[in-house]
Amino acid sequence: MDRVIGIDLGTTNSCVAVMEGDTPVVIPNRGGYKTTPSIVAVTEAGKRLVGHIAKRQAITNAENTVYAAKRLIGRKWNSPQVKNALLTSSYTIVEGPHADVRIKLRDKTYSVPEVSSMVLQEMKIIAEDYLGESVEKAVVTVPAYFNDNQRQATKDSGLIAGLDVIRIINEPTAASLAYGFGKGLDKTVAVYDLGGGTFDISILEIGAHGVFKVISTTGDTFLGGEDFDARVIDWIVQGFTEEHEVDLRQDRMALQRLRDAAEKAKCELSSVRETEINLPFIISAGRNEALHLQRSLSRETLETLTEDLVERTVDICRQALADAKLDVDEIDDVILVGGMTRMPAIQKSVAEFFERDPNKGVHPDEVVALGAAIQGAALVDERHEMILLDVTPHALGIMTFGSLFEELIPQNTTVPTSRRKIFTTSRDNQTAVKILVMQGESKQADENELLGEFILTGLRRAPRGEVEIEVSFDINTDGIVSVHAKDLETGQNQSIQVTATSGLTQDEISTMIEGAKDYMVERRSDEEFEGVRQEAETHIIEIERLFPEVERVVGGADFGRDAISKARNVLDRARKAIAAKDKQAVKDHLEQLARTERMFKGVVARSE
Ligand code: AMP
C-alpha cells in the first residue's frame, strides 16, 4: 500500500507528517526541527536553498529570497493583495503571461506554484529520508478560505514537486481530525487558526462515529503574523525617522534585518514583558559612519499596536458563529492553531469571546500536518474509518444584469451539492446569453472571482423576460464545480466544468515538472558527493594527524620513505578529486585512504 504523507504548507513554516500504525507522527527535518521555514532562495552561484538554510542567508540575499509565497498563490496580477505585496516584499514581483504573478530570482522568473513546489519538494525529501522509501502521494492542506484558483495552484505545486496530491483539505478541518480522530467524541468545536499570513475560523461537529462535519468556515487570507510584524516595523521605522531623519525602508538589507528583528521581538513578547531590539550598523550615514538601532519594546506597546488586528479576528469569529447559527455556550471546545496563537493577547481575546479557556492538548504548529496524515491514511486504508463533510467556503453564482452577483450556492453549504435557478433574458429579441460563473460574497460581481464563462445560444426571439433559462450548479466531493444552462422552451443547453486555474498552462507545468526532476537528480548527486567527501575528509584528517609520528618511527628506513611518499600521493590525489567535485574519483580513493590510515595506525601502535 502506498504511503501518503500529510503536508501543512504554511505561509511561514511547513510541516510534514505520516501515519505510523494508528498514530500520526511529525517527521523532523535533518536539523531535527519539526517545522521547516517556507522560504526559498537562489544564491549568486545559482544554487537553490530551501528552509532553514534559506532563512539564514535572507539578510545578505534579501532580493533573491522568497518568503510568504502562499500569500500570492493563485492570485491575479491586478488583485489588491498583489498590489499590497508589491509594496512590502524585498524580492521582485512581476506580471506573468496569463495576468498571473511571477517572482524574479537572479536572472530567472518563477511562477508562484513553482516556488511553493520547491517547499513541497523539500517536505517530500524530508519524508523520504525518514521513511527510507520514495513517497508519491500527499494530502496538502490549505486555508479554509482559499478559493478554487488558490486550491488548484496548490495542487499544481504538488504536481511540479512530483507529488500526486490526492486530496486538498482545509487546515481547520485537518486540525479537528488530529484533535478528535479515534476518540469517539461527540462535540462542537471551534478551530481558531492564526498563522503567518492567514486567519481562519471554522465551527465543526465531531460525531461519535468518526463524522467530522464543518458547519461554518470563514476567514481572511490577508491577516496573519506578518501584519503584526508590519506594525512593529512601522513603529520602529517611525521612531528612527523622528530621531535620525533617515527612512530605513529605503535600504533592502536594513528592511530585512528589521523584519527579522520585529518578528523575533514579537515572539519573545509572548513569554517576556519587555524586549530589546538591537541592530548595530543598521544603515550608513555618510562616509565611514553608520547609525545603530536600539529600542525596547514592551508587551503592552505591542498589544496596543496590534489591538485592531486581534479585534478583527474576533469579529470574524462572531461571523462564523452567526453563520453556524450557534451561541457561544454551544461550543464545547476551542482549538488554537498557528504560531500566532502563542501571543497572550490572542489567547485572552479568544478565551473572552468563547467564554472558555482554549484547549491546551494540541500543538499549534503540528496539528494541521497530523490531521492531513490521518486523512491521507484514511483515503488509502479503510481501517481508518471516518467521514469528512466540508463546506463551500465561498458563495457560488453568476453575474446578472447590472453587473450584480446572483448567488446559487450560499457560503457554508455542505458538499456535494447541487442547486438550480430560473433566469430570463434582459433584452428584447435576445438570442444568446453569456453565463459568467463567479465565486465570492460581494453583491457586485466584479468584486468576486471569475471562475469561468460560456455562452448559451439559439434562444427564441421574444420580448425580454419571456424566455426562461434554467441554470444549475453541481459541486462534487473534490469541490469541482459544473454549471449547466438550459433554455426551458427549446431544450437547447450548454455546460462547462469549471476548472480553476493556477495561472499556468499544462505545457508550463510539464516543463516545471521536468525542472523539478532535474533538481532532484542534481540534489541527490550533491548529497552523495557530500557523503563520500565527508568520509574521505575523515580519513585525510586522521592520516595527517598520524604523519609526524609515522615519519619519526619509519622515516629513516627506505621502506618507510617509500610508504610515506605513497601516502602523500594518495592524499594529493584524493584532495584534487574533492576539489574537482569528482564524486567517482573520490569514491575510488576511499579504499586507498582507508588502507593508508590502517597502515599508519599499525605503525604508530607498534612503536608504542
Ligand atoms: P505558522 O504559519 O502557523 O507557522 O505561524 C507563523 C507565525 O506565528 C509567524 O508570524 C510567527 O512570527 C508567529 N509566531 C511563532 N511563534 C510565536 C510566538 N511565540 N509568539 C507570537 N507569534 C509567534
Side-chain angles (χ1 to χ4, degrees), residues 330-541:
E330 289 172 279
I331 302 294
D332 299 311
D333 215 346
V334 181
I335 305 166
L336 295 183
V337 182
M340 273 310 300
T341 60
R342 293 204 185 85
M343 184 173 175
I346 288 173
Q347 294 180 359
K348 187 161 158 273
S349 297
V350 174
E352 269 169 19
F353 176 75
F354 285 102
E355 296 169 11
R356 62 176 56 249
D357 280 335
N359 181 289
K360 295 265 186 303
V362 298
H363 196 299
D365 297 333
E366 298 169 12
V367 66
V368 171
L370 293 171
I374 294 171
Q375 166 74 97
L379 287 171
V380 293
D381 183 352
E382 59 209 18
R383 282 178 308 135
H384 303 293
E385 209 181 320
M386 67 179 192
I387 299 171
L388 249 189
L389 294 170
D390 227 314
V391 294
T392 48
H394 298 280
L396 283 155
I398 62 170
M399 182 160 110
T400 59
F401 189 62
S403 293
L404 292 178
F405 176 65
E406 178 80 29
E407 185 179 285
L408 268 98
I409 300 183
Q411 191 183 18
N412 291 320
T413 305
T414 305
V415 290
T417 188
S418 64
R419 300 285 163 94
R420 52 206 69 230
K421 218 173 204 173
I422 311 283
F423 293 89
T424 61
T425 47
S426 58
R427 278 178 283 116
D428 292 339
N429 296 322
Q430 186 175 344
T431 54
V433 281
K434 192 172 181 183
I435 311 277
L436 292 166
V437 183
M438 318 201 87
Q439 183 175 45
E441 278 63 57
S442 175
K443 289 273 164 258
Q444 297 302 321
D446 56 5
E447 287 175 10
N448 293 329
E449 187 90 9
L450 176 68
L451 293 184
E453 57 183 81
F454 63 95
I455 295 172
L456 179 65
T457 53
L459 303 180
R460 176 172 64 88
R461 286 180 181 276
R464 75 189 169 109
E466 212 172 83
V467 176
E468 291 194 319
I469 301 149
E470 181 191 77
V471 176
S472 61
F473 272 54
D474 296 282
I475 310 181
N476 68 13
T477 25
D478 282 332
I480 306 286
V481 183
S482 313
V483 183
H484 306 263
K486 188 166 146 190
D487 178 342
L488 285 181
E489 197 180 87
T490 62
Q492 176 87 359
N493 71 79
Q494 274 293 330
S495 64
I496 54 161
Q497 194 174 70
V498 180
T499 37
T501 156
S502 62
L504 295 178
T505 63
Q506 260 329 307
D507 279 355
E508 282 176 316
I509 293 175
S510 303
T511 312
M512 287 168 192
I513 291 174
E514 289 312 311
K517 278 189 195 153
D518 291 348
Y519 166 76
M520 203 57 209
V521 170
E522 204 177 295
R523 165 138 175 186
R524 288 292 184 212
S525 161
D526 277 0
E527 281 171 0
E528 260 180 59
F529 172 74
E530 196 45 32
V532 289
R533 186 195 64 81
Q534 274 178 16
E535 207 179 320
E537 295 274 13
T538 313
H539 289 309
I540 293 173
I541 291 168

Side-chain angles (χ1 to χ4, degrees), residues 293-344:
L293 189 151
Q294 191 174 19
R295 276 194 94 169
S296 71
L297 176 64
S298 70
R299 185 186 289 176
E300 216 181 340
T301 307
L302 173 69
E303 289 177 359
T304 312
L305 291 172
T306 57
E307 203 175 357
D308 61 310
L309 298 175
V310 180
E311 197 43 48
R312 249 166 81 193
T313 71
V314 173
D315 286 343
I316 299 173
C317 291
R318 200 169 286 119
Q319 181 63 45
L321 270 187
D323 290 348
K325 300 190 176 53
L326 289 174
D327 284 329
V328 158
D329 58 7
E330 289 172 279
I331 302 294
D332 299 311
D333 215 346
V334 181
I335 305 166
L336 295 183
V337 182
M340 273 310 300
T341 60
R342 293 204 185 85
M343 184 173 175

Side-chain angles (χ1 to χ4, degrees), residues 531-569:
V532 289
R533 186 195 64 81
Q534 274 178 16
E535 207 179 320
E537 295 274 13
T538 313
H539 289 309
I540 293 173
I541 291 168
E542 195 55 16
I543 296 168
E544 295 273 22
R545 189 182 70 81
L546 296 167
F547 243 111
E549 187 62 9
V550 171
E551 273 183 324
R552 191 185 64 78
V553 178
V554 294
D558 283 350
F559 81 92
R561 274 195 295 277
D562 195 31
I564 285 167
S565 125
K566 270 192 187 145
R568 282 208 191 285
N569 247 327

Side-chain angles (χ1 to χ4, degrees), residues 590-607:
L590 280 180
E591 180 49 40
Q592 272 181 308
L593 285 169
R595 217 176 314 129
T596 309
E597 186 185 326
R598 275 200 302 277
M599 192 236 322
F600 271 32
K601 278 187 172 152
V603 170
V604 173
R606 276 195 298 279
S607 77

Side-chain angles (χ1 to χ4, degrees), residues 8 10-14 35 70 193-198 224-226 228-229 263-264 266-271 337-344 364-365:
D8 169 9
T11 311
T12 325
N13 294 298
S14 293
T35 60
K70 188 172 170 180
D193 180 356
L194 188 61
T198 56
E226 295 209 346
F228 288 69
D229 301 348
E263 187 192 1
K264 188 161 158 276
K266 173 194 73 178
C267 293
E268 281 169 3
L269 289 174
S270 292
S271 44
V337 182
M340 273 310 300
T341 60
R342 293 204 185 85
M343 184 173 175
D365 297 333

